[in-house]
Structure formats: structure tokens, C-alpha cells
Amino acid sequence: MTQQGVRWTADQVLALAPDAASRKAGSKLGAAGPWSEAGSSDEGTVWGLCKGSGSKPYQTVVDIADTAGPAYKCSCPSRKFPCKHALGLLLLWAGEDGAVPSGQAPDWAGEWLAGRRKRTEEKRAAGASGSPAAADPEAARRRAERRAERISAGAGELEQRLTDLLRTGLASAEQAGYGLWEETAARMVDAQAPGLAARARELGAIPSSGPGWPIRLLEESALLHLLDQAWLRREHLPDDLAATVRSRIGLPASPDGPPLRDHWLVLAQYDTTDPKLTTRRIWLHGTDSGRTSLLLSYGAGGRAPELALPMGLALDAEVSAFPGAGQLRAALGEQFTAPSPTTARPLGVTTAQAAVHYGEALRHDPWLDAVPVTLDRVVPTPDGDSWQLADADADLALPLPSTARSRPGLWRLVALSGGAPVKVFGELGHRGFTPLTAWPEGAGEPVSLC
């Protein structure tokens, strides 16, 4: 349950926004001007009426105490969750003292909240009563075998495509254009290997990616060849590595690790989008176990994923790991409290230790794009036309990706540091270190850099 006296920060609220436009629009509604009859309860509910362009104000209510993350209801026509009105209401609640006083929820808010919590209890009761009868295991085995055969046929076809590329020379990729690789990717989709399809599309985009593209194309082709061969020889791999190969190919998996209960600090949350799917990545840090876990949530058709956990909050919950060597992905299980503010911070490492950690992770998963790392006592420093995070206590640094200068998070990090060391959480990969969250030295709230 969220305590009424404990407020979130503006960063924690805005981390819930589905996109930059929503953050900007919600920030404009974070003042008392457009709001009336705003209130909140000790049970973790915030409500209010927001004046819009019509004659009737929008009815907005947020259930902060929901253990799956905040839940929202607004009478506006927006398809985004949360909408700008919900964000503005939470900013108002998080900001001015007295702007959202404690009180009794109006009927329209109370009815929605009661209905939502009733449905939650019904789902729990249904889950406790037992799952439906298991599907025919023999039929499931035959389906899995047929899919494996299709994937193997697709992998063989992709191997031939890579062989042709090397025989004709890398320059042929620039002449052939993107269409040939898109056709190859479509064949991998037909083979039910979405992981191979995605990597084939990436190969098609490399020849137009700027200077040095032949080296990048060769590197990515080698990794794709390695994945192909690993799939075709999966019976000879250790179980953990075989599970990693299946996940990289795109086969679905279920968490198989024992549930680990901990107080999980939400390190970062951010979305990546394409025309068909929005993927939300949420990094968690177990304050007791020291374990880092990744939650993935998806939204189709331009809709934001349902799961939302504001950066900097913590929740008492269980997570279960997915199979695979070195895999950090986990599933969120039973949650015993709603996310609430915390002063906990992850332990940090030096830049040298971070580089060693990345190298060790690649031994378990050669196709890994990046690993989560918390750097301790680093200073953002310009390096020619780019930036780096320099170790305050050693003559070492990690580069930031070339895209860092175009992201507002870099300038927030520079402003937070002011030339002094800071603690930074982010993802370290072959393109550099991408900062996601930062803390100032000593006391201070976390700052989102996403």
C-alpha cells in the first residue's frame, strides 16, 4: 500500500509516460490551474477533474496501490496509457503540498476502483482453483518437432545466403540493396524463426549505415553464422547454452527458475518501438540478493505495454528467471506491496570492472547486445566530438554511443554531475555505455536519463 504522506518525484511520474509527446503534454497539466475537486486517499488512490476543450471536465483517477504498477482511468478519448491527464494529476499530487488533499473518493472514482479490485480478486481466485486441463503432450511434441524442422530448413537457407555474400564480396551487399535481405527475413518468418528474421533485416541496413560498414557487416554476418550453426548443432550444446540459442532464434520460453523474493529497486524503464510492437524494458535490482533482472512487456498496435514500474521506487515481490546461460530476463510473480519510494541504491563498479563483466557475459551469450552495469564515481567528459564516462579515481573511461549527443539524457547527466563524480546505471555494449539513471554523490533522488 502506498502511504499518503510519501510522494513520488516528478522524474518517477514522467518515467510512466508512453512517449515524449505525453511527457511534454502531461508536464503542462502538472499545475493546479486546470484541476478541480482533486483528492487522494490513504489506500493509494488519486482523482481529479481536468478542464478540457469540451463543456465537461475529464474525470481522471489513478490507483497507485495496484501491485502491478499504477492503473489509470480517464474519460478522455486518448488511447495512451497513462494519458496526459493521468500524468498531470500524478505530477500535481507529487508536487505541491495541499494541491491534492486527503479525502473521500467521489462515486465515479470509487465505482471504478471497486470494480477493478473485484476483478483482481476474481483472477486470483481463478488462479488458486487450478489451471485448465493440460494440452495433449504428444500433440505438443509433434508441433515442436515440426517447427524445429522448419527452423532448420530456414537456417540452412540463410547459411547459403551468407556463403553467397562472402563468395561475391561484401561490396555486393551495397549493390543489392535492402530488398534482398528483406526477402531473406520474410523467409525466416515463414520458417517461424523471428530471431533470425530480425538479424537478417539488420544486415540489410548496415551498408547504408555510414563509414566502416563493411567491417560491421562482416562482424554481424559472423554472429549470424554462429547462431545458425549453434541451432543446427543444438543437441551437442550444454543445456544452458542450448536454451540461450533457442531464445535468440525466437522460440518462446517460460520462466523455470525458483521464485526469488526480494525488495526490488526499479533501476530504469524505457520503451523501444517499431510499427507493429512497443517493447518495454524494466531493470530491477534486488537490494538483498544483489541480483539484476530484466522484465519485458509488450504493447501491440501503438499501445503502451501494460506493466509500468516507476524508476526509483521499490517493491516487495517475487521474480522467476528464464532459462539460458547468463540470461537476466525474469517474470514478475506475486507482489506483496505496491511500488513505494526508497533510499536504496545499487553497488557500483569501476569502468575496468565493468569492461571485464561485459567480456565474461559474452562467453555465455555471444549474441548479447549489452549488459546492465552500475558505474561508481564517474564523471561525464567530452572526448572530441563524443562523450565518455571517466573514472574519477583512475585514468580509464568508457565511451558513450555516437547517438548520445542527440539525447536529452546526456545533458541531464552533465548538469547533475557539474564536474563531480556520480553513480550511473546503464547498459554496456560494443557501441559503448548507454546511461539510463544517475544518482548524485551522497544523498539525492535518482534522475532518469531515458
Side-chain angles (χ1 to χ4, degrees), residues 47 52 87 99 118 178 213 224 280 301 368 382:
W47 62 85
L87 289 170
K118 180 180 178 181
Y178 185 77
W213 69 263
L224 185 50
R280 174 164 294 165
L368 189 65

Side-chain angles (χ1 to χ4, degrees), residues 97-244:
D97 290 337
V100 183
S102 179
Q104 181 68 34
D107 291 343
W108 55 268
E111 290 173 1
W112 172 79
L113 186 65
R116 177 176 178 79
R117 293 184 175 170
K118 180 180 178 181
R119 290 190 295 272
T120 299
E121 290 301 322
E122 289 174 348
K123 288 181 180 179
R124 289 177 179 171
S129 63
S131 58
D136 181 358
E138 180 60 24
R141 184 189 63 81
R142 290 195 299 267
R143 286 194 299 269
E145 287 181 350
R146 289 194 296 269
R147 180 170 185 178
E149 290 173 358
R150 284 192 289 269
I151 294 174
S152 295
E157 185 175 339
L158 185 54
E159 280 292 282
Q160 185 60 53
R161 178 71 188 91
L162 293 173
T163 300
D164 292 343
L165 172 65
L166 294 179
R167 186 179 63 252
T168 57
L170 296 180
S172 65
E174 189 174 29
Q175 298 168 0
Y178 185 77
L180 182 59
W181 288 108
E182 180 60 34
E183 180 184 346
T184 303
R187 297 283 294 170
M188 296 305 104
V189 172
D190 292 340
Q192 295 185 287
L196 294 180
R199 289 182 175 271
R201 289 193 179 94
E202 291 173 1
L203 287 185
I206 290 176
S208 60
S209 62
W213 69 263
I215 297 175
R216 293 192 293 275
L217 180 59
L218 185 60
E219 291 173 343
E220 294 302 323
S221 296
L223 284 173
L224 185 50
H225 167 70
L226 182 64
L227 182 56
D228 268 347
Q229 292 300 313
W231 168 261
L232 295 173
R233 293 168 172 79
R234 60 193 180 280
E235 293 86 358
H236 306 293
L237 300 177
D239 290 343
D240 281 348
L241 183 56
T244 297

Side-chain angles (χ1 to χ4, degrees), residues 350-352 354-355 358 369-371 373 375 378-391 395-405 407 410 413 424 426-436:
T350 65
T351 54
Y358 178 48
D369 291 326
V371 295
V373 173
L375 297 175
V378 290
V379 181
T381 307
D383 180 27
D385 293 333
S386 59
W387 283 77
Q388 60 184 5
L389 290 179
D391 197 315
D395 190 20
L396 297 170
L398 291 176
L400 270 59
S402 58
T403 56
R405 293 189 63 172
R407 299 178 58 189
L410 170 63
L413 176 59
V424 184
E427 296 173 349
L428 176 61
H430 64 281
R431 294 185 178 88
F433 181 88
T434 301
L436 300 175

